[in-house]
Every structure is written in C-alpha cells, then in structure tokens.
Amino acid sequence: MNVDFEALHRDGFVVLGGVVPGAMCARFETDLEIIGRAGLNHRGRSQREPDAIADLLRLGGAYRQALFSNLKHLRVVQEMGHHVVSTLETAGVLDWLGYEALVAYPTIRADVPGEDTYLLPMHQDYATPCRRAFRVWATLRPAGATSGSLLVVPGSHLRGLIAHDTSDPARPFVPDSAYDSSGTRLLELEAGDGILFDPLLVHGSVPAQNARMKYNLLVNLWDLTTLADPDDPEDPIAGRVRMRHVRDTVRG
C-alpha cells in the first residue's frame, strides 16, 4: 500500500484501498449471522430485518448495550485491527507519525437502519484524548449515499480546534458557517476500504437509505505522551472529551 503523505497533510485524510481483507469482512458477516440467529432463537423471536442483529439491537435495554459492547471484542475485529496497524507500519505511516508511545486499538461502529439517535452531525472527533492522534475508519460493507457512509471536508483540519455548537448537548456540531460546504466529499468505498484521517477533520455520518445495518471498523492511533489532562480546565482536548461525556450521558 502506498500512502500519499503530502495529500494526508493537505487534506487531512487519505483513502486506504483494501485495508481490511475481504476474507476478514466475510468472517465478520458469518459471525454476525450466527450471533443474530442464536439471539433470536433464545428469545423465541423470528427474524424481521435483513440483519438479525438489527432485530436484537432494537430490543434495547441492557441487552442491547451488552451485545454491542461485546461485538467490539470479536476475535475477527481484533484481527482486523492488528492487520490495519501492520499494514500502516509496512507503508511507513507509523514512522511518519513518529509517536513516542503508540496506543493502537480497534473498535466497531454499528448503525441500525432508521435510527438517528447515534448518528454524528458534522463534527471534529470528541473522543480523542491525546493531542497527537490519527484514526482509521474502514467500512465493512460497501459505503455510499444509499448504504450509508461518511462526509468529510478536505483541509478542514488545518483550522485546528473549531468551536462546536452545543445548544443540543446530545448532538454537538460544527456550524455550517465554519467550513466551506461546497468542498464536502461523500466517500464511496468498497467493503474493506477506508480512510486514515486527522481527528480535527470535519466529518459526519451519512445514514443508510436501505434496510441494512452499517458497520465500520475504527482503529485509534494515539501518542500517549500527549494525553490531555482532565484536571486542567484550560486543556482544550480534555474539554472535547468532557463534551463527549456530556453527549453520551444526555443521549443514553
């Protein structure tokens, strides 16, 4: 894999083709089918959605939280994360980052069709606790306007921290006036493709218009020597993390 570091610096992101192998995407799908069928059978429910996992997540409550939390720890998800980091290392990305103490771990984002509670408006990442950080966002199903994807604003990271509108604490967002919407790009990607991006890049969710779940792998890359100080009320990165905690508390 060749990474255009000049474009990464200029645009705040680069596309990574096939960063998650197709075989791993297929194993993830198989695991989801098995988990979905088992969960519905246990509750004596029939499948109504194209994805049985969606039926289970719509049950809500503590079960939903437990299911989603543990999806992140599937063995195949951990293997995806290791593969992504290894690929980035081979491509010279880790050397380019030059982190002194690298934190690298994967997690999963799953969007249920028709739900907007957890969709993200245009924002800069709230959940990044380090001043030096990058993330990989990879789609585990084809991504686009119909299937759901990500909007990005190339070059917006160069503005640094942008004040978010927190009038609705459940949905902090970057106001339209803070960026040039004419330059916004909708990512059209195949399963296994992704982007490496700066957390200061303005970006937001594109909900799926069909009845299928949307799954993304996120791999966080942080330099722990630049960890924000939550005891410092003037630390802007810690302030972002506090904004995220408020958001999560309000929206449940």
Side-chain angles (χ1 to χ4, degrees), residues 42-180:
H42 179 70
R43 285 158 186 77
R45 293 174 177 265
S46 59
Q47 182 173 338
R48 298 181 178 182
E49 307 261 358
D51 295 288
I53 289 288
D55 286 304
L56 294 175
L57 291 173
R58 290 195 197 280
L59 295 176
Y63 177 78
R64 174 178 176 139
Q65 182 177 4
L67 175 59
F68 180 69
S69 295
N70 284 287
L71 283 177
K72 301 175 183 180
H73 301 296
L74 282 170
R75 179 179 177 182
V76 68
V77 171
Q78 301 305 308
E79 290 178 2
M80 287 176 183
H82 290 310
H83 180 83
V84 168
V85 174
S86 177
T87 299
L88 294 179
E89 183 174 24
T90 301
V93 172
L94 301 189
D95 287 338
W96 181 81
L97 292 174
Y99 291 171
E100 296 180 77
L102 175 65
V103 171
Y105 74 92
T107 187
I108 285 288
R109 179 177 171 85
D111 292 336
V112 180
E115 285 191 357
D116 60 5
T117 302
Y118 301 103
L119 293 177
L120 295 171
M122 299 302 282
H123 69 289
Q124 295 174 316
D125 277 344
Y126 329 123
T128 301
C130 295
R131 290 184 296 279
R132 300 183 69 192
F134 268 80
R135 300 184 92 183
V136 172
W137 179 97
T139 183
L140 302 182
R141 288 179 168 178
T146 300
S147 55
S149 187
L150 199 68
L151 282 175
V152 298
V153 183
S156 53
H157 66 300
L158 297 174
R159 293 193 54 190
L161 289 167
I162 300 174
H164 283 54
D165 185 323
T166 58
S167 54
D168 178 358
R171 292 176 63 83
F173 68 94
V174 173
D176 293 346
S177 58
Y179 62 91
D180 181 6

Side-chain angles (χ1 to χ4, degrees), residues 210-245:
N210 55 27
R212 299 299 306 279
M213 289 284 296
K214 173 185 166 190
Y215 292 106
N216 304 112
L217 175 76
L218 294 171
V219 181
N220 296 299
L221 304 167
W222 302 336
D223 184 350
L224 202 56
T225 66
T226 67
L227 181 67
D229 183 358
D231 296 319
D232 180 359
E234 303 300 322
D235 190 317
I237 302 300
R240 282 291 169 86
V241 176
R242 286 192 293 272
M243 184 169 69
R244 183 266 184 110
H245 288 324

